[in-house]
């Protein structure tokens, strides 16, 4: 069976040639897939019954399944999606009350090789890359299930997007052209894969690059993120400066605040100093507890002090709202499994 989800208009037109159907049919099917987000060929009601029967012999809209779905008290929805080979990833839909935005937090890999000490995904190790079609299926699944159109995408689910860059860039292209989600509404978050950041700089990426910094001190960062030993802060900083210079874009610096580890006043001052000459906004992420890990959430008082110091240094700072923690859907809590 051939799968329709993930095919662009040209590919659908070529497919329709095989069926002796017109380009207009391809356009209709394209709308059914990306705008109306149907799951079955029979739902494509402006195609004749005979033609649908013919298509059904060799075509399927999708082969992914929703394995579980959990709805948080704050409206966040977490899906565990199962692919054809039985591997699963999580995808999260976040709604923010005061905005019309619907943000999908998508995964780029099953598991992750980077193995950050605070992250549930990292604990699972690396299983495999997702194909670009498997990435976009996550957004289609949300749209099919809710009947809503996703407006924003963050690559902040499982996996390190820059270690699966070809598929991530192809998915990005489909989000732009087929879903009509503008590049500026898409954010790619990375743990800091320096050569890939340099590649993105040369390519003129239009989406937002977010960098998971979490500490501006080599020793502490290495304790949190083993990748610091491969691409240390000084190399990362040069890559980020290069990125900002070539792209002209402001980056987002993500910083998880962990109680008594990196949330002290001197940590804030050190961070302010590290990013002084970097065109960036800062997103502070209060640590979300993960089972069996010793790290703790910061106090509200410490979060505010930290924020204040960075703001005084001239940076725009936001504190990430915790979404879906009651269903383990918050940052870093995604494991891609039903249970341990
Ligand atoms: N691998 C990429 C993208 C996925 S993680 C990256 O690391 O950037 C998305 C964000 O969630 C990252 O900033 C990550 O550091 C953060 N995160 C991971 N575990 C977390 C936890 N337990 N609490 C809060 N944020 C966490
Ligand atoms: Fe991988 Fe990101 Fe988790 Fe680190 S924080 S283990 S890079 S998913």
């Amino acid at each position: 069976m051939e799968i329709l989800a993930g095919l662009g208009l040209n590919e659908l037109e070529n497919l329709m040639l095989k069926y002796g159907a017109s380009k207009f049919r391809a356009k209709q099917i394209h709308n059914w897939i990306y705008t109306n987000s149907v799951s079955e060929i029979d739902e494509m009601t402006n195609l004749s019954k005979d033609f649908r029967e013919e298509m059904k012999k060799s075509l399927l809209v999708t082969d992914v399944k929703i394995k579980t779905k959990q709805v948080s008290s704050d409206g966040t929805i977490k899906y565990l999606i199962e692919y054809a080979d039985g591997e699963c990833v999580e995808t999260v839909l976040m709604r923010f009350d005061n905005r019309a935005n619907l943000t999908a937090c998508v995964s780029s890999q099953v598991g992750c090789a980077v193995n950050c000490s605070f992250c549930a995904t990292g604990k699972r190790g690396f299983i495999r890359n997702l194909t670009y079609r498997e990435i976009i299926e996550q957004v289609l699944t949300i749209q099919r299930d809710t009947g809503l159109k996703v407006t924003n995408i963050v690559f902040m689910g499982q996996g390190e997007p820059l270690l699966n860059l070809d598929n991530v860039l192809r998915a990005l292209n489909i989000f732009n052209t087929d879903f009509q989600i503008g590049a500026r509404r898409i954010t790619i978050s990375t743990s800091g894969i320096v050569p890939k950041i340099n590649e993105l700089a040369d390519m003129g990426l239009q989406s937002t690059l977010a960098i998971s910094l979490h500490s501006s001190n080599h020793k502490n960062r290495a304790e949190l993120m083993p990748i610091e030993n491969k691409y240390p802060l000084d190399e990362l900083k040069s890559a980020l400066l290069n990125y900002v210079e070539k792209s002209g874009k402001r980056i987002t610096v993500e910083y998880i605040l962990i109680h008594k580890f990196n949330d002290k006043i001197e940590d804030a001052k050190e961070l302010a100093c590290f990013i002084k000459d970097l065109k960036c906004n800062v997103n502070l992420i209060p640590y979300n507890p993960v089972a069996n890990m010793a790290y703790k959430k910061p106090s509200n008082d410490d979060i505010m002090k930290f924020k204040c110091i960075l703001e005084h240094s001239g940076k725009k700072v936001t504190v990430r709202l915790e979404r879906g923690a009651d269903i383990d859907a918050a940052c870093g809590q995604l494991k891609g499994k039903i249970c341990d």
Side-chain angles (χ1 to χ4, degrees), residues 26-45:
K27 179 77 191 126
Q28 286 175 312
I29 295 172
H30 187 273
N31 273 337
W32 285 117
I33 299 173
Y34 299 101
T35 309
N36 300 307
S37 310
V38 298
S39 330
E40 304 284 344
I41 288 174
D42 271 335
E43 293 172 71
M44 303 182 177
T45 47

Side-chain angles (χ1 to χ4, degrees), residues 3 24-26 53 58 64 86 100 137 179 181 193-194 196 198 205 211 223 226-227 229 250 254 288 298 300 319:
I3 308 298
F24 181 63
R25 291 280 168 268
E53 289 305 321
S58 54
V64 310
E137 280 277 20
F179 289 74
I181 300 175
I193 314 296
V194 165
K196 296 290 170 184
N198 288 330
L205 180 79
I211 171 80
E223 199 174 318
I227 196 87
N229 294 315
R250 190 179 297 278
E254 297 169 281
N288 289 312
N300 281 341
V319 178

Side-chain angles (χ1 to χ4, degrees), residues 118 156-157 159-160 189-190 212 214 254 256 285 287-288 290 331-332:
F118 49 80
M156 294 187 190
E160 169 47 59
S189 173
T190 178
S212 293
H214 308 330
E254 297 169 281
I256 299 182
I285 318 172
Y287 174 70
N288 289 312
V290 173
C331 294

Side-chain angles (χ1 to χ4, degrees), residues 70-140:
Q70 287 168 278
V71 183
S72 160
S73 53
D74 66 21
T76 300
I77 309 179
K78 180 170 82 167
Y79 298 92
L80 185 68
I81 293 177
E82 184 180 17
Y83 295 114
D85 68 349
E87 288 296 348
C88 297
V89 296
E90 277 140 331
T91 300
V92 179
L93 175 67
M94 296 169 288
R95 313 155 191 241
F96 296 96
D97 296 335
N98 53 343
R99 299 183 226 159
N101 290 353
L102 283 180
T103 302
C105 174
V106 300
S107 296
S108 55
Q109 299 179 313
V110 186
C112 181
V114 180
N115 196 19
C116 302
S117 63
F118 49 80
C119 172
T121 307
K123 295 285 145 265
R124 227 193 129 185
F126 174 70
I127 315 288
R128 71 168 174 85
N129 279 331
L130 294 183
T131 65
Y132 67 96
R133 293 178 71 158
E134 288 173 326
I135 295 172
I136 67 123
E137 280 277 20
Q138 297 171 51
V139 177
L140 285 176

